Amino acid sequence: MYLHWSKTLAIGLLATFGILMTLFLALGGGEAASALKAHTTRWIILNYAGLLIWVFVWISDQARMRGKNLWVWVVPFLFAPLPTLALFLLYLQQRPK
């Protein structure tokens, strides 16, 4: 099945991300010890870092191929990489003026 990136889908994904982050921040951080082992946590962080590197390389490649400015997207990418990716995809879908 082909997934078409529409504004409705992107806004829905961004809203879901915002709600989940709010819940995570509001409900997390108890005094109980974590059930995750240290190596599991490091493995998750390593995989997430690899994903972020891959996404940044893809964004920079798409910006270069389309003649868009990459530096506008660097700071938002540092703070919220996946929502920035969704916004970047919407930005690339704009029709040329």
Side-chain angles (χ1 to χ4, degrees), residues 22-74:
T22 303
L23 287 173
F24 174 75
L25 292 173
L27 301 177
E31 287 84 25
S34 174
L36 287 177
K37 293 184 177 182
H39 73 279
T40 304
T41 305
R42 285 193 297 268
W43 180 252
I44 291 169
I45 291 170
L46 178 66
N47 279 287
Y48 188 71
L51 174 67
L52 292 181
I53 291 168
W54 181 81
V55 167
F56 183 76
V57 168
W58 184 85
I59 286 175
S60 63
D61 181 57
Q62 291 298 311
R64 181 188 55 81
M65 284 182 12
R66 298 169 193 249
K68 305 292 184 183
N69 187 2
L70 170 68
W71 299 109
V72 174
W73 298 97
V74 171

Side-chain angles (χ1 to χ4, degrees), residues 7 13-14 17-18 25 34-35 42 55 62 68 85 89 91 93 96:
K7 287 184 181 182
L13 289 173
L14 287 170
F17 176 80
L25 292 173
S34 174
R42 285 193 297 268
V55 167
Q62 291 298 311
K68 305 292 184 183
L85 173 63
L89 289 171
Y91 173 71
Q93 288 188 351

